[in-house]
Each structure stands twice: as structure tokens, then as C-alpha cells.
Amino acid sequence: MKKFLKSIGPLYLTVQIIKRYGVVLKVRKKFRGSRIDASVKILNAPALILGNNVELQHNITLHCGGRDWCNNTGSISIGDDSVLSNDVVIWGCGANVIIGKNFDCAPGVKIFASRTDYNYINERKHIFKDVIIGDNVICYANVVISPGVKIGNNAVIGANSVVLKDVPPNVVVAGSPAKEVKKRIQDNP
């Protein structure tokens, strides 16, 4: 059996890479004004909406729902002129992730519209809540955004922060859990 798995392993990987790249090609064709790295993984691509001039860099995962466990629902929408850096994960399963224009997203950011309900872990129940991120938001490296969070326009989220509650517009938050550090001085009022 081990010999069989070793012999088919490279073939299986090749098939998976071709399937993933086929999805990326379809998304590139649909959203011609965007730049999408070949390594981007998109699940349920019909539920993905990209604005103009969106850049998706290396090794990003966009899970747009469409599975039984999330009631076959969910979507991800990313606004114009947004850049998502390497290793970002957006989990739009069972609810929607809506991102505004000019989103500046550093490497390793994780955004979740669903989570397991720890009160019913044996029943595998989930909580689904939309995540809404306004225009001109900056998320520095390794930020985690939880289901149901709304982030206002022009907000800044410090590196390694865990965002559990809404973030008002024009503020800088940081920490775990993220808390307001100061008001943001806007360069373009």
C-alpha cells in the first residue's frame, strides 16, 4: 500500500494544483482589473466579488462558504484598490465578509465570519456573523478579526491584535483583545 501511495502522490498533487490554478484563471478572467497570484486558494469562487485593481498576493485562502456545515451560504467582497499580502486567510462561511475600498492588509491576517459555538461543541454548531470592514482600513501583520465585527472607515489595527468588538472610525487599536490606543490623524481629511 505504501508503494502505491508513493507512486500516486505526485500525480494527486499535480491534479490538485491544476484544479486550483483553473479556479484562479476563471477568477482572473471575471475580474480583469485585479492581480491574483497563481498560489491563491479560492473555495466557492462564484461567491467572491472583487473591485477594480485588487491585488491578492502569494498563498492567500479565500473560503466563500458553499459547504453543508455552513448551510451552503457565505461570500467575500473586496473593494477597489485593496491589497492583501501573503498568507492572508478570509473565512466567509455561513455569513459575509464585506471589505471596503483601499484595504491595506499585511501578511498573516485572519478574518472569520464563523466560529464553532463552544457551548455546543459536541453537536458541531457554528455561529455565523457578517464581518464588515470600512474604507481605508489598515491591518498590520497577524491580526485576527472575529465574527460579527464591524471596523469603521480609516481605522488602523496594530500587529498581532485580536479584534473581538467593533472598531469605530478614525482610531488606532492594538492588543489582545484590541483596544483603542489613540485617534488617527488623517492625511486627507
Side-chain angles (χ1 to χ4, degrees):
M1 184 64 150
K2 284 184 180 181
K3 287 182 182 180
F4 173 74
L5 290 176
K6 282 185 178 182
S7 68
I8 196 165
L11 175 62
Y12 176 79
L13 283 174
T14 303
V15 168
Q16 294 305 311
I17 290 168
I18 290 170
K19 281 183 181 179
R20 181 187 295 181
Y21 190 63
V23 170
V24 169
L25 287 176
K26 287 178 184 175
V27 172
R28 281 181 180 169
K29 186 175 180 181
K30 183 176 179 181
F31 303 106
R32 293 187 187 274
S34 296
R35 294 175 309 284
I36 304 168
D37 188 89
S39 66
V40 172
K41 183 176 183 179
I42 303 167
L43 301 165
N44 194 25
L48 175 65
I49 299 169
L50 299 179
N52 292 320
N53 200 33
V54 171
E55 182 177 345
L56 303 177
Q57 296 178 0
H58 182 73
N59 203 33
I60 290 173
T61 300
L62 303 175
H63 194 321
C64 304
R67 301 286 192 261
D68 288 340
W69 68 269
C70 62
N71 305 317
N72 293 307
T73 61
S75 71
I76 298 172
S77 174
I78 303 172
D80 296 346
D81 302 311
S82 295
V83 176
L84 279 64
S85 297
N86 301 344
D87 303 311
V88 168
V89 174
I90 301 179
W91 213 253
C93 302
N96 307 302
V97 175
I98 302 164
I99 299 171
K101 298 176 187 174
N102 201 32
F103 181 53
D104 184 355
C105 185
V109 170
K110 312 289 188 257
I111 302 171
F112 300 99
S114 65
R115 69 172 175 81
T116 302
D117 187 342
Y118 52 80
N119 293 312
Y120 301 97
I121 198 157
N122 291 333
E123 299 174 39
R124 301 213 178 202
K125 289 188 177 182
H126 294 84
I127 294 172
F128 306 109
K129 294 184 180 177
D130 292 348
V131 174
I132 301 171
I133 299 174
D135 296 338
N136 307 309
V137 171
I138 301 171
C139 282
Y140 287 103
N142 302 314
V143 166
V144 176
I145 299 173
S146 296
V149 168
K150 292 177 180 68
I151 299 176
N153 294 340
N154 308 307
V156 176
I157 316 299
N160 301 308
S161 295
V162 178
V163 184
L164 301 173
K165 296 181 179 176
D166 292 353
V167 176
N170 304 307
V171 298
V172 177
V173 299
S176 179
K179 295 183 180 175
E180 185 174 330
V181 175
K182 66 180 182 176
K183 300 287 183 202
R184 181 174 178 198
I185 299 171
Q186 292 182 330
D187 52 355
N188 295 321

